[in-house]
Amino acid sequence: MDIRNVALDDLVLDPNLNLRDRLDDFTVERYAEAWDRLPPITVYSVDERWLIADGFHRHAAAVMLGKRTIPVEIRAGSFNEALDYVSSVNLFHGLPLTRTERRRAVEVKLKLHHDWSDRRTAEELGVSRELVAKIRKQLIEGAQIPNNPGRVGSDGKLYTTAGLPRDPNEHAPSDKRELDGSEQGRRSMSGAATATAPWDDDAPAARTKNPIADEVHFAGGVDPRIIASQGPIDVAAPSIEELLDVMSKQIMEVVAWTQADGFVDSYRAASSNARGVFHAAVIKLAARADQMRRG
């Protein structure tokens, strides 16, 4: 891992690598206050330029503090690799993305990996598969990505998508495969093959019993299916005092963990990414508490 101090003037803030609509002033101020505890920003070295991929708020905090350099983790790669990294990393740490910014991340990921399945893309970005499918449909209709006949799942295997022409023999029994022209003619003339096969599209649907319509008697006289169709039972919501009590206990448990023997040594041995995620969570909690305190 290549980490070094780099001059702010040597860094490039490419707007195409920033998913956010704007910088949040409050977040910049909080980062400035916690400057010594922040992890390095991430930069991609592309065509002899150092492009910021993660850390726009930290960069702004450095400018606010009058810093000339900033700790940087430098990665080698192409612009698309930097963009691919950006589309994922901002979803899991730092200031949470807005709904519009999350949609932008999905669009970027689909344009770079249009051959991925909706499920794989959703898992990668921590969003719903329905959102991915909706945005994919819009991009396909706008001719921004192709409609791949197959997509790669999380397991790396290629799966064909719905909507492809179906093999007419796909679900036919082994002894009911399509007949050639002469055999089909002979069977039709003899009348032996005139009945519609159950796997044909124009076969009449088999009638099935409706279990709800059947007359069934239950012990006690109450049909559990009627109970299941009714709404949920009202349950009293916890009061704000109860919620605050539970949250306070959880926070104090975390504080107690940090005071346990050996925690500091283990913390220092952890990766910079793990420490950065922890710092970001603490900063967000403190910032939110300060916002509520101010009213």
Side-chain angles (χ1 to χ4, degrees), residues 29-93:
E29 293 176 1
R30 297 299 301 180
Y31 284 1
E33 293 175 3
W35 178 256
D36 293 334
R37 300 188 298 274
L38 295 179
I41 67 174
T42 302
V43 168
Y44 269 76
S45 178
V46 180
D47 297 331
E48 299 182 353
R49 297 188 305 161
W50 285 342
L51 306 178
I52 296 180
D54 180 36
F56 286 88
H57 282 97
R58 280 167 282 170
H59 179 275
V63 174
M64 175 185 292
L65 294 172
K67 301 285 186 180
R68 292 188 176 183
T69 62
I70 186 173
V72 167
E73 176 190 345
I74 300 178
R75 300 189 178 193
S78 65
F79 183 85
N80 280 348
E81 288 174 328
L83 190 60
D84 193 18
Y85 174 81
V86 168
S87 64
S88 299
V89 70
N90 281 291
L91 293 166
F92 299 106
H93 77 273

Side-chain angles (χ1 to χ4, degrees), residues 111-127:
K111 290 178 180 179
L112 293 173
H113 301 285
H114 51 75
D115 58 334
W116 281 10
S117 67
D118 292 345
R119 182 186 297 276
R120 178 176 181 179
T121 305
E123 291 175 351
E124 177 78 12
L125 299 180
V127 298

Side-chain angles (χ1 to χ4, degrees), residues 161-211:
T161 57
L164 296 179
R166 189 180 66 179
D167 181 355
N169 292 318
E170 180 180 358
H171 301 295
S174 58
D175 59 341
K176 296 293 186 179
R177 298 299 181 187
E178 282 190 330
L179 307 174
D180 59 30
S182 59
E183 179 66 15
Q184 189 174 26
R186 290 194 298 271
R187 296 288 296 275
S188 298
M189 291 177 63
S190 64
T194 56
T196 304
W199 58 85
D200 290 341
D201 292 336
D202 55 352
R207 295 187 61 185
T208 58
K209 291 184 177 181
N210 184 355

Side-chain angles (χ1 to χ4, degrees), residues 83 105-114 139 144-146:
L83 190 60
V106 175
E107 290 181 4
V108 169
K109 187 65 73 173
L110 285 175
K111 290 178 180 179
L112 293 173
H113 301 285
H114 51 75
L139 294 177
Q144 298 187 57
I145 62 173

